[in-house]
Structure formats: structure tokens, C-alpha cells
Amino acid sequence: MMTSNEIREKFLNYFESKGHTRVSSSSLIPHNDPTLLFANAGMNQFKDTFLGISTLPYSRAASSQKCVRAGGKHNDLESVGKTARHHTFFEMLGNFSFGDYFKREAIEYAWEFLTQVLGLPKDKLWVSVYEEDDEAFNLWREISKVPQDRIVRLGEKDNFWSMGDTGPCGPCSEIYIDRGEEHSCDADKCELGVCDCDRWRELWNLVFMQYDRDEHGNLTPLPRPSIDTGMGLERIATVMQDVYSNYDTDLLRPIIAFVEDMTGKEYFEDERGFPFRVISDHSRA
């Protein structure tokens, strides 16, 4: 079993070995960006670089970014404690390319890290792509050999990412792990892209940053197509620690245990544990 600290370090070490510069997390309070209240993604600190406004002394980066999603476009506040995977505060593992590599390398790196470095079973991994992105679909088939029936085409709501109402954006491709039929929901169709149950655990989102969206919704091609990826540390920890919920990982379970000691109440993984999960998430945030 791998600790969260070990997972984070393996991720950063892997991308350093691929020529990426390790970059520290930026502050949760964005600097000089009135469009955000909190940092909500790893790419926030690189926004001006994606837009071509500023340059960096490196063209590849990797980070573990502290994020809060409790308002604005990306708001998970109402889901906290109700699902196994949503938080206000979380860490986002990410690798970035600023006009260096694009879709092929992003897919190659993600597949190699998950299957060879972390050793996840290939037959349990699924992929989604933007419905119009034939290039990404074909690259997944070529690089990973994932069967066609495990690559799902989804619309703009699911597979076209933007940091907010305006700014850098582009089609994306997400990697999921099938947690097994025992975690299926009661929906008529328990399928990836149809239901939102915890059987299909999204692990990693690869964003192919190609456009800048203005206040009128118009898309302008970016000066250099780039890569922005994000993998929640809490989510990948559930897989590597063989637990069902983020709240059972070494990142949150100690806080729940502390609340149990303080209150003399026992934590349960069902709806009775809802206040424990909210308290652990909010106190960590």
C-alpha cells in the first residue's frame, strides 16, 4: 500500500525524469487574477503563459497544486460528504506543456505512469474523449490498445474544459477506473457518461489547451497548443490504498478518527457518517 506522500513524490519524480521542472504549488489566493476567488486547478499559476502574455524559463512543468472548489464555475461544495470523491480543498497533481508536446505525449505519459509506475490493471481503465476529437480517440487506440468499447465519446459538458467563464480552454480526455459492479448505482443505465455513480472513478483529466474564450463565448486559438492535466491526489490514493472513499485514505481518515475521539461518536460509511465527512473536509480546507 502506498501512502499519499509516496504517490505525490512518485508523480513528481516521474515527470522530472521526462524533462519537466518541478514547480511548487501557488497560493490558494490567486495573484493578479480577478476572475478567481481561489485557485481551482493546477494551471491557474500558468494562465498568462498559456495565453502567450508571459514566458517561463522552461517549457514543461509538474506540480501538486493546492485547490479549493467552493464557488464559481467549479463548485463541489454541495457534494461534500454525499459522494466518495468530492471536496472543497484537495491537491491536484498535474503536468504541463507550454507549446512543447501535445496530445500524443500527454497520453503516453499518463498511460505509462498509471500502468507501469503505479501498476494499475489495464483492463480496469476506461477513457472518455470529446465527441468531436477523432485525433485523441485514435491516439488512445494506438498508444494504450484500450478496446474501442472502453473509449467513450462525451459532449462539451463533460469533455471540454475551461478554468472559468473566460480564459484558456480546450477539449479534454479523462481516465477512469472501473471499481466493479458491486459499486453500480440503481440507474436504468449504469454506464460511464450516463450515470454519475462511484463505480466509474475519474482519476485524471488531460486537457488539450487550444483556445482562449472571451466574455462573449468566442474561441480564439492560443499562440501555442499546450497541455494541462489534473489528477486528484485524494482519488488516486483510494485506488493505491485499496479503499472505497477518499475519506478512508491517510489524508482524511485521521481527521475523522480525531472527531470520533472528541465526540465519543462512531463513524459510519453510510449516511450516518455525513457530518464526520463534512467536518473532516471543511477543517482540512
Side-chain angles (χ1 to χ4, degrees):
M1 186 169 70
M2 204 177 289
T3 68
S4 297
N5 285 338
E6 289 170 336
I7 296 168
R8 185 193 302 108
E9 194 60 26
K10 278 185 178 294
F11 180 90
L12 295 171
N13 280 341
Y14 171 81
F15 280 101
E16 281 185 309
S17 76
K18 301 296 183 181
H20 293 64
T21 297
R22 183 187 295 218
V23 179
S24 298
S25 170
S26 68
S27 167
L28 274 175
I29 308 301
H31 296 292
N32 302 319
D33 189 346
T35 70
L36 291 173
L37 179 61
F38 299 114
N40 64 10
M43 61 77 59
N44 291 165
Q45 66 171 306
F46 305 118
K47 178 180 176 181
D48 286 350
T49 305
F50 283 123
L51 292 173
I53 297 172
S54 64
T55 59
L56 294 167
Y58 46 83
S59 60
R60 301 181 176 199
S63 68
S64 183
Q65 173 66 45
K66 301 178 181 69
C67 298
V68 164
R69 291 188 175 178
K73 182 180 187 301
H74 299 282
N75 182 8
D76 292 332
L77 184 60
E78 297 304 320
S79 298
V80 169
K82 297 176 183 177
T83 74
R85 63 192 192 278
H86 289 102
H87 299 290
T88 52
F89 172 86
F90 62 96
E91 280 188 69
M92 187 74 88
L93 304 171
N95 59 288
F96 309 90
S97 165
F98 312 112
D100 186 349
Y101 61 86
F102 201 43
K103 294 182 184 181
R104 174 177 290 277
E105 293 86 348
I107 291 171
E108 287 175 345
Y109 293 151
W111 189 251
E112 182 177 63
F113 180 76
L114 290 178
T115 61
Q116 296 186 32
V117 179
L118 297 187
L120 298 189
K122 296 179 181 180
D123 62 339
K124 297 294 184 183
L125 296 177
W126 289 60
V127 174
S128 69
V129 297
Y130 181 50
E131 58 189 355
E132 299 176 9
D133 195 345
D134 293 333
E135 181 185 7
F137 183 93
N138 292 330
L139 283 170
W140 275 111
R141 291 284 290 121
E142 174 193 341
I143 293 166
S144 70
K145 305 300 189 288
V146 170
Q148 186 168 318
D149 61 359
R150 293 215 313 267
I151 305 177
V152 182
R153 293 179 184 264
L154 299 177
E156 183 171 343
K157 177 179 177 295
D158 295 290
N159 278 98
F160 196 96
W161 194 90
S162 59
M163 61 175 283
D165 294 330
T166 61
C169 58
C172 63
S173 179
E174 295 174 306
I175 307 168
Y176 298 77
I177 189 165
D178 181 359
R179 305 301 298 271
E181 290 186 8
E182 64 271 24
H183 298 304
S184 297
C185 61
D186 298 326
D188 293 336
K189 273 193 172 185
C190 182
E191 296 179 3
L192 179 61
V194 177
C195 63
D196 189 35
C197 73
D198 284 318
R199 173 177 177 176
W200 316 100
R201 185 64 56 83
E202 178 201 329
L203 297 179
W204 204 342
N205 189 8
L206 315 180
V207 180
F208 310 128
M209 203 72 78
Q210 295 176 246
Y211 305 105
D212 178 19
R213 176 178 279 151
D214 66 20
E215 61 272 18
H216 303 294
N218 299 315
L219 298 177
T220 303
L222 291 174
R224 298 181 298 170
S226 299
I227 289 295
D228 156 32
T229 86
M231 176 165 56
L233 177 61
E234 294 76 7
R235 293 189 185 188
I236 191 62
T238 65
V239 179
M240 300 309 298
Q241 296 174 16
D242 194 25
V243 295
Y244 173 67
S245 166
N246 293 6
Y247 295 93
D248 297 319
T249 66
D250 61 351
L251 291 164
L252 285 141
R253 194 62 180 84
I255 305 176
I256 291 176
F258 182 82
V259 177
E260 287 181 301
D261 289 340
M262 282 190 67
T263 62
K265 303 290 185 181
E266 183 180 359
Y267 171 67
F268 295 92
E269 294 183 5
D270 56 22
E271 63 274 4
R272 292 172 293 176
F274 174 72
F276 286 87
R277 293 188 287 273
V278 171
I279 290 168
S280 66
D281 170 88
H282 288 5
S283 60
R284 186 170 178 241

